[in-house]
Amino acid sequence: MKMIKILSAAAVILTSASVLTVSNAYADEVVKVGIDAAYKPFAYVDTNGELAGLEVDLTKAVCAEAKLNCQITNVPWDGIWTALETGTIDMIGTTVTETGPRLEKYDATRIIYKVGYAYLVPESADISKGIEGLKGQSIGTIVGTQSYYDFIKATLGNDTQIQGYDSPDAAVLDLDAGRIAAFQNDNLQLQQQFVSTGKYKLVAEPSFDKRFVGEGRGWFFRKGSKELVAKIDKGLDTVIASGKLNELGQKYLKTNLTSQ
């Protein structure tokens, strides 16, 4: 298994060309939000060099409702927790699975939406044996996401060879080349970015086993951020009640997003 990379604060790459500020006249303090822009349509850098995507639009909407002055910066996933812990950012705006160990270490918002886990293969692949047919083969996933590793080992065996990647695009390049048998990720990402092209398919229905997917996904903060979390939660409540979350879900994923 590829070792999970641990980066120092100095190694965290902030893409200065991709910074958005959500200003508000009522907010004096800047809330620094880090989002990994390598996950289109959740977050990406558009042709103008600007941050875009569902998570970017949702963060902007929530910060406006919460009357917070939020500065959104592109922070790669493999350095995003270090950036949070060292104060480089105040909030991880990439939605993250809320698990017991994470909630013990960090503060988090309410559940924003739920996802399942699934395996992606080329459209031509034989999936007649389902997930069982992947056993004994090399599987790709996103490096640094422990719940993905746990899910793969639980469904395919502890001795499964797991290859970690920094982005879905990098993993699927190896999938196309035959260097891995399948790419494991969340179902929304896989369905929107890859299955929708007609070139790929899921091996089986997504799993919503709470041992791995947790209760759902939310935003994370350093311990001791309860006041900020309360403001963000209030903004989230308003945005979700207004139907804005489902509007973004339809825009970017062609599906409604539920936190229930």
Side-chain angles (χ1 to χ4, degrees), residues 47-190:
T47 55
N48 296 317
E50 300 292 331
L51 288 173
L54 185 153
E55 292 175 334
V56 175
D57 286 357
L58 180 60
T59 300
K60 291 164 66 177
V62 170
C63 287
E65 288 290 346
K67 296 181 170 58
L68 293 171
N69 185 7
C70 294
Q71 184 181 78
I72 308 171
T73 307
N74 181 9
V75 182
W77 175 252
D78 58 1
I80 207 165
W81 294 99
T82 300
L84 181 67
E85 292 167 0
T86 59
T88 304
I89 59 174
D90 304 306
M91 166 182 148
I92 294 179
T94 296
T95 49
V96 180
T97 302
E98 295 194 5
T99 63
R102 282 178 177 155
L103 293 174
E104 288 179 5
K105 191 173 182 180
Y106 305 98
D107 288 340
T109 61
R110 55 160 292 171
I111 297 298
I112 300 175
Y113 62 87
K114 295 175 181 276
V115 297
Y117 287 174
Y119 291 99
L120 183 82
V121 294
E123 176 60 33
S124 60
D126 178 8
I127 58 171
S128 59
K129 295 181 180 179
I131 291 176
E132 286 290 316
L134 296 176
K135 289 185 175 180
Q137 302 191 65
S138 180
I139 306 298
T141 193
I142 300 300
V143 70
T145 308
Q146 188 59 46
S147 58
Y148 288 169
Y149 284 74
D150 292 342
F151 174 73
I152 293 170
K153 288 187 286 187
T155 54
L156 299 181
N158 288 326
D159 59 347
T160 301
Q161 181 182 350
I162 303 175
Q163 177 65 44
Y165 296 89
D166 291 329
S167 72
D169 287 334
V172 171
L173 283 175
D174 270 6
L175 179 64
D176 291 341
R179 286 187 282 271
I180 56 175
F183 171 50
Q184 185 276 323
N185 204 287
D186 75 69
N187 66 304
L188 294 178
Q189 180 82 43
L190 295 177

Side-chain angles (χ1 to χ4, degrees), residues 11 16 30 65 90 93 101 104 111 118 125 131-132 137 140 168 180 195 199 215 229 232 238 249 258:
S16 58
V30 172
E65 288 290 346
D90 304 306
E104 288 179 5
I111 297 298
I131 291 176
E132 286 290 316
Q137 302 191 65
I180 56 175
V195 175
K199 298 178 181 179
E215 295 296 329
V229 173
I232 293 291
T238 302
T258 178

Side-chain angles (χ1 to χ4, degrees), residues 198-214:
K199 298 178 181 179
Y200 307 92
K201 59 188 175 184
L202 300 184
V203 173
E205 288 297 312
S207 169
F208 290 86
D209 190 329
K210 290 183 179 180
R211 291 179 299 163
F212 311 108
V213 304

